[in-house]
Amino acid sequence: MLSEKIIKQLQRIVGAEYVSTAKADLICYSYDATQQQYLPNVVVHPGRTEEVAQLMLLANAEKIPVFPRGSGSGFTGGSLPIAGGIVLAMTRLDRIVEIDADNLVATVEPGVVTEQFQKAVEKVGLFYPPDPASLKFSTLGGNVAECAGGPRCVKYGVTKDFILGLEIVTPTGDIIRTGGPTMKGVVGYDLTKLMCGSEGTLGIITKIIIKLLPLPEAKKTMLVLFASIDGAAQAVSAIIRGKIIPTTLEFMDAATIACVRQATDLDVPESAKALLIIEVDGDREMIDKQAQKIAAIVQPLGVVETRIAETSAESEALWQIRRSVSASLRKVNPDKFNEDICVPRSKVPEMIRKVEAISAELGISIVNFGHAGDGNIHVNVMIDRKRPGQLEKAERAIEAVFKGALALGGTMSGEHGVGIMKSPYINLELSAEAQSYMETIKKALDPNNVLNPGKIFLQR
Ligand SMILES: Cc1cc2nc3c(=O)[nH]c(=O)nc-3n(C[C@H](O)[C@H](O)[C@H](O)COP(=O)(O)OP(=O)(O)OC[C@H]3O[C@@H](n4cnc5c(N)ncnc54)[C@H](O)[C@@H]3O)c2cc1C
């Protein structure tokens, strides 16, 4: 519970209409895509950086936990108010401040929705590649805090590769700027990169300076259906070995296809046991050649059918298959754990075989899809919590999958972060010394541990 006095102070900072303790509002901000739920004491919607700074001054002085939140689409519980306190909803800060076409740079507030920003820059012939599958609702602030990836990252890189600078409110209430709108800059530590992927634990992002690219002239989307998962996994390595880096190289296994088929009117023959959605972009002549080369490379690997989209509507229809995966899996099986391991690209076939072996050994359904082009596989462990022993099996499966990925030189998380969901496993990947180094940074910047406490690290 926060005292009446604190609530009044919050109302003075942001305006009474932007502070809510109504149960209905608290519930709306109590969960994210993990489906876990923690009620905050109050939800605050700041409209300016200075308000965020004043709020942090107050929270730090009174030792009140603050949980920054974009759209709450995170898969690891990063925005969950696990210790009550204040949910800091950043969605009112939603202006695109500037699109500077001369310098290929934009400045935005953190609450801008990813797809809206992409559409705004595309209108002036520019391009912002990072495209998490949640782009219709995730915010750019949340994308930076998680260093979000997405299908196009195989060719263009992840969110941090496009962030030139930030405005940040520190946990103790100062406002600082990192980096800037130049393509180079090496004065002092690279705090911009430190903030990317810091999961709202080191500072609150209130402005983002973003690098843009010229919009590619054209793109070509292909759907390739395979008779076996092995063929699809081998195709990923074969395409990269063929010295082609497609814009996207998305993968779905038989179980994922079956779930999407069950939940939508997906038109894919039963003989297809895996599929790849491949896109290439660039000038028209080049993409036609690349598409043909890709088709020739994958053909000997058990291709059932190749579909090439000729119009943007056809391309969108192919992408709809991929974007409907998360919702379809949840529809068919509400109890799923979505992990996002990443392995070196050439190890994708071996990793898939490991996951299959884990699934068979534990007698538990595991569904794989994801960004295979950069080795980032979404491994979904599907259970029925009501059945005795299923949760324990899921935990064993997840640990085995993480260990398998690490043994191949990979990581537990390519893009979803640690939050609270992966912190129990953090010792598998980070040494005690590495964790202590990171925790030293957290303690120095947030001495009272008020900003997003209890995330990433195991509480010692
Ligand atoms: C259907 C679906 C598909 C998805 N696909 C992808 C995908 O392809 N790739 C991918 O990377 N992720 C994906 N995600 C996960 C999620 O969408 C991303 O992590 C996204 O970046 C979260 O954005 P958000 O605005 O919802 O942030 P939230 O979930 O609200 O918050 C995420 C983290 O960011 C912090 N945060 C939010 N705003 C700020 C701020 N202004 N300052 C400081 N910290 C802040 C929060 O404290 C929290 O730790 C998917 C999620 C769903 C539900």
Side-chain angles (χ1 to χ4, degrees), residues 68 70-75 78 132-134 139 142-143 145-146 148-149 199-200 203 205 415 452:
S71 293
S73 70
F75 269 134
S134 51
T139 65
N143 293 169
E146 295 288 359
E199 303 191 26
I205 299 155
E415 52 184 30
N452 218 354

Side-chain angles (χ1 to χ4, degrees), residues 84-99:
I86 302 170
V87 162
L88 192 61
M90 300 299 286
T91 42
R92 267 183 76 216
L93 285 154
D94 65 350
R95 284 181 321 135
I96 297 177
V97 180
E98 186 187 23
I99 298 173

Side-chain angles (χ1 to χ4, degrees), residues 201-351:
T201 62
L202 298 181
I204 297 156
I205 299 155
T206 48
K207 234 164 243 132
I208 310 169
I209 303 175
I210 298 177
K211 180 173 86 173
L212 301 170
L213 298 176
L215 188 64
E217 185 185 304
K219 61 186 178 184
K220 206 161 205 80
T221 315
M222 317 165 61
L223 175 74
V224 187
L225 307 175
F226 291 86
S228 77
I229 192 165
D230 237 30
Q234 283 167 20
V236 173
S237 303
I239 292 167
I240 306 286
R241 231 184 2 257
K243 311 264 182 312
I244 300 176
I245 305 284
T247 319
T248 69
L249 195 36
E250 292 290 298
F251 153 83
M252 285 164 60
D253 72 1
T256 309
I257 296 172
C259 281
V260 177
R261 200 186 275 117
Q262 219 174 311
T264 68
D265 53 1
L266 177 68
D267 162 33
V268 166
E270 296 283 343
S271 55
K273 301 297 177 215
L275 66 77
L276 290 177
I277 299 176
I278 307 169
E279 194 166 276
V280 287
D281 67 5
D283 68 60
R284 276 175 219 290
E285 235 174 78
M286 186 189 83
I287 60 170
D288 283 341
K289 268 195 205 148
Q290 285 195 336
Q292 281 163 16
K293 196 169 169 193
I294 289 171
I297 290 173
V298 300
Q299 192 56 39
L301 299 169
V303 169
V304 172
E305 189 185 332
T306 299
R307 295 178 196 165
I308 300 184
E310 295 302 338
T311 63
S312 53
E314 283 175 19
S315 162
E316 192 45 39
L318 294 184
W319 277 111
Q320 206 36 49
I321 297 173
R322 170 65 182 86
R323 293 204 187 104
S324 59
V325 167
S326 271
S328 301
L329 295 189
R330 212 173 278 296
K331 221 175 187 178
V332 172
N333 193 333
D335 294 337
K336 74 176 175 92
F337 294 90
N338 176 3
E339 305 303 341
D340 73 313
I341 53 158
C342 190
V343 294
R345 289 191 275 234
S346 62
K347 305 283 187 194
V348 168
E350 202 175 335
M351 189 65 224

Side-chain angles (χ1 to χ4, degrees), residues 135-172:
L135 57 83
K136 284 190 190 305
F137 42 87
S138 72
T139 65
L140 289 169
N143 293 169
V144 176
E146 295 288 359
C147 189
R152 291 199 292 234
C153 297
V154 57
K155 176 169 177 182
Y156 290 103
V158 293
T159 301
K160 71 179 168 202
D161 299 314
F162 290 85
I163 307 303
L164 295 172
L166 296 169
E167 178 185 78
I168 296 162
V169 172
T170 69
T172 48

